[in-house]
Amino acid sequence: SQQGEEDPQALSIQEGENATMNCSYKTSINNLQWYRQNSGRGLVHLILIRSNEREKHSGRLRVTLDTSKKSSSLLITASRAADTASYFCATDRQGAQKLVFGQGTRLTINP
Amino acid sequence: GAVVSQHPSWVICKSGTSVKIECRSLDFQATTMFWYRQFPKQSLMLMATSNEGSKATYEQGVEKDKFLINHASLTLSTLTVTSAHPEDSSFYICSAPSQGQRNEQYFGPGTRLTVT
């Protein structure tokens, strides 16, 4: 399978705590993106990080990328109950628009 | 931002029948669209790339005669699941790449297919 791995597969934390999810991939990439999916719904784009970037911030989100280890992490700070969802990383290769998704992390924020 | 719609949002059909799912880009043109399948509690798996005006490109292991894709206009791609079986029950999601250099994709809300 070309899919990447994500860990943990499931994460349950208390509201206000930080949540960290990791993603590993197998091939060289052009970009890595993170998406959120609420149960039974479509995907919402969160953040894109290019292969020549190492860290990116957007609001309460912080993404890191280590191309030498072929891995990325997504940090959500000061979590809220509304952050409960599944989170997927997705990669695309140079010159290709199609995305390869990781297996996802199911995040539950307990109030 | 750009919007992609899908119709229907859910459908139940009997084994052996065919089901058509539409994917539309509402405020932008998409020469390429992608179709994904997602089984419960699993990730998205790319099925095929839909190309406006030409044949779709299918991923390895996806039967092109079973999953017919037609990209008849710059805003519409359709996926037809032919002779559906219960194992085809899944969540089908389409996406269209953003215009410009942002490399984002806009995803439709998905279609839940249940084959009885």
Side-chain angles (χ1 to χ4, degrees), chain A residues 8 10-15 17 19 105-110:
Chain A
L11 178 62
S12 181
I13 61 174
Q14 294 299 121
E15 194 168 22
E17 294 180 340
T105 295
R106 292 190 305 278
L107 175 65
T108 302
I109 308 299
N110 302 304

Side-chain angles (χ1 to χ4, degrees), chain A residues 11 50 54 64 79 94-95:
Chain A
L11 178 62
R50 301 190 187 284
R54 292 297 168 258
T64 63
S79 63
Q94 186 73 34

Side-chain angles (χ1 to χ4, degrees), chain A residues 37-43 86 88, chain B residues 5-14 19-22 35-44 79 81 84-94 108-116:
Chain A
Q37 183 182 36
N38 290 88
S39 181
R41 308 289 290 272
L43 273 71
S86 290
F88 296 93
Chain B
S5 71
Q6 282 184 241
H7 178 80
S9 56
W10 60 271
V11 57
I12 302 172
C13 71
K14 294 185 177 181
V19 174
K20 180 186 285 187
I21 302 170
E22 294 184 347
W35 286 97
Y36 297 84
R37 179 168 54 184
Q38 184 180 31
F39 292 109
K41 296 189 178 181
Q42 294 188 25
S43 187
L44 281 75
L79 168 68
V81 182
H85 289 115
E87 56 264 34
D88 297 324
S89 298
S90 188
F91 195 52
Y92 291 87
I93 305 175
C94 69
T111 296
R112 182 157 307 282
L113 169 63
T114 302
V115 184
T116 61

